[in-house]
Amino acid sequence: MGEVQGGRNPLRSKVPFRVGRHESAQPARLLYQGYPVGYLIAWRNPTIRLKDGTLSAGKRILIDGQQRVTALMASMLGREVMTKDYETIRIRIAFHPVEKKFEVANPAIDKDPAWIPDIAELFGPNTRLLHTVRAYMKANKSVDEDVVAESLQSLSKITSNMVGIIELAEDLDIETVTEIFIRVNSAGATLSQADFAMSKIAANETYGGNQLRKAIDYFCRLAVAPDWHATIKSSDKEFAKSDYFQKMLWLKNANDDIYDPAYVDMLRVAFSSEFKRGKLQDLVALLSGRNFETKQYEERIAEESFRKLRDGVMNFMNQAHFERLLIAVRSAGFVHRDLIGGQNPLNVAYMLYLAGRSQKVSDATLSRVVARWFVFSMLTGRYSGSAETTIDLDIRGIDKQGLAEYTSSVMNATLTDSYWSTLLPQQMETSAVNSPYFLVYQAAQVKLKDRGFLSRDATVQDLVELRSNVHHIFPRKFLKDQGLSRGRYNQIANFALTQDTVNIQIGDKAPADYFAQLKKQCSGGKLKFGAIDEWDALEENLAEHCVPLEIFDGLAHDYDAFLAERRKLMAGRIKKYFAKL
């Protein structure tokens, strides 16, 4: 989304927007053929009060038409565009005067004299149409000069074609404008408050929003592809000289993928940690200069909001902050990306860390609070519903009561004895292997240094990091042969992490049979399953995996009773783990 200056050609605005190659030729083609390219929808920012007390009419913000404007800028003005891979490139649109065709230039077109390889050259201030026609005829002597002249004259006139603009009233509230933005763009990628906020940031050059937008985009890209720092240095030399680039340069040596934030994650954390708010629509309002008390718009608030957001982004990118968050998460047993559910618990954990830093909470206390809240929010699905509303509630509570006090009061009120003994076991009645309950259970086993099911040496952490098999304690085929459905035999209370060899050894044997053999091999019998040959060691291993000892008796023949009992034991093990955090 770009700024549309009042009274100026919208094509001359600076619009940092990603566009695909195949989209670039279409607007010019439509204008040449006399077809409409659709309306641009703009919103004039509210009138803002300047520092000297005078009023300034707000600039217009492009709500819909970003891709068309960017494609026209690329094709007609020779502007560079940014690809989906964050690479800044120059897309050339070629024109065939005889066939009246437009194509994205390529090596074959460059070698063919029948094509004008870059129409941007025709719109330069010093270009003369007659000279262009003569040059083309010199290279294509057999074509009709009148046809060429007519085609090029028609092409040169497309700059005079009108592009309609629908302007939204400046007194529309932020919520309404945001809803319009999301709805008119709904035919493409799903858009959100974060997209509107990012567009608002990018459109502001007065307070460095254009560079700030790049910092957010580039950091997220580098977190996924560290080698990409060289591309930034070569393709965006101005940004490479900025403080932002220096702040994120440590990522070139980073190799931890526990937390790879997208721009919405980074924006949310930076905003909430600095502004003590959770709703991104408030950020759009603040960047516009809104005074929530007077309901007016003031330049000083816009300036201060951009400064605070910049501080939040710089804090987010700080290597020490980022790595200490990861240490806190890893210390809770989440040693692999596969154990992380959604991004929101990680985002809020980072908000808490930054809030604790600003409240001067000690490092030891801060790490413990962050780890406990991360696990708590995952386990309870705190941010799986109306995330923004809950984040807003939490960040305001932390700001008012203090980090340790607020988080402790919320966790104590939620994680009651009845939660551990009744509610959590009920919630664990699920077949979703990626459910937060099973993910937290695995993290608990990592933290408690449990060994793999029927393993003597291999730990659960080893198995998680090597992405080993999830074993069905009641084998899947055994249950399928009894007519059980997928949702029944894939209950998480039937899962245990084990080595591949153990899984293969057990195969589809009935639980009563292989547990009877386990008992024999721990009494001097032949070692057939796993590596445990002592009863005390077997008891300890089964306890680590919450397998009730009654499995050697009636539970081996009663799958539902086994699941019910194991859910209670799994909930108890998570409770023990949480107490150790």
Side-chain angles (χ1 to χ4, degrees), residues 39-43 61-65 164-168 180 184:
Y39 281 91
L40 305 179
I41 302 178
W43 172 54
I61 301 296
L62 196 60
I63 297 294
D64 184 44
I165 296 181
I166 297 174
E167 184 171 304
L168 305 179
I180 293 172
V184 299

Side-chain angles (χ1 to χ4, degrees), residues 142-302:
S142 62
V143 302
D144 188 326
E145 183 174 351
D146 290 339
V147 171
V148 174
E150 182 183 355
S151 292
L152 293 180
Q153 187 174 30
S154 297
L155 178 60
S156 67
K157 288 181 178 179
I158 69 173
T159 56
S160 301
N161 290 3
M162 296 296 293
V163 177
I165 296 181
I166 297 174
E167 184 171 304
L168 305 179
E170 64 180 88
D171 57 355
L172 285 178
D173 57 69
I174 294 293
E175 293 81 0
T176 301
V177 176
T178 305
E179 181 68 15
I180 293 172
F181 169 75
I182 293 171
R183 285 183 180 274
V184 299
N185 285 282
S186 62
T190 301
L191 299 174
S192 65
Q193 295 278 3
D195 294 287
F196 192 23
M198 288 288 277
S199 298
K200 180 73 176 175
I201 294 165
N204 185 287
E205 295 183 24
T206 304
Y207 304 126
N210 53 331
Q211 288 289 84
L212 181 59
R213 165 66 187 261
K214 284 185 180 181
I216 296 171
D217 270 339
Y218 287 169
F219 184 92
C220 295
R221 174 67 176 174
L222 279 176
V224 176
D227 291 343
W228 197 67
H229 76 280
T231 302
I232 299 177
K233 290 181 69 174
S234 62
S235 63
D236 197 341
K237 293 181 171 58
E238 180 184 357
F239 184 84
K241 297 176 183 177
S242 69
D243 292 341
Y244 293 121
F245 187 62
Q246 297 306 312
K247 199 73 171 179
M248 67 177 70
L249 202 53
W250 64 272
L251 283 173
K252 69 179 183 179
N253 298 316
N255 56 13
D256 195 320
D257 65 351
I258 292 291
Y259 187 28
D260 287 336
Y263 70 85
V264 62
D265 305 310
M266 190 171 176
L267 189 63
R268 190 178 297 284
V269 173
F271 166 62
S272 295
S273 60
E274 280 295 318
F275 292 79
K276 315 306 178 190
R277 293 171 178 264
K279 297 181 179 180
L280 285 178
Q281 69 181 34
D282 289 349
L283 175 59
V284 176
L286 288 163
L287 295 176
S288 298
R290 182 175 176 83
N291 184 322
F292 284 98
E293 295 181 1
T294 66
K295 312 300 183 185
Q296 301 300 311
Y297 292 84
E298 304 173 19
E299 183 187 20
R300 66 172 184 84
I301 292 179

Side-chain angles (χ1 to χ4, degrees), residues 7 20 69 73 144 147 173 221 393 401 432 436 441 484 487 533 542:
V69 170
M73 288 171 58
D144 188 326
V147 171
D173 57 69
R221 174 67 176 174
L393 172 70
Q401 298 179 31
Y441 172 71
L484 273 68
D533 57 4
L542 295 180

Side-chain angles (χ1 to χ4, degrees), residues 112-128:
D112 187 348
W115 287 85
I116 293 175
D118 188 358
I119 65 172
E121 296 176 0
L122 301 178
F123 300 103
N126 300 318
T127 299
R128 297 292 181 268

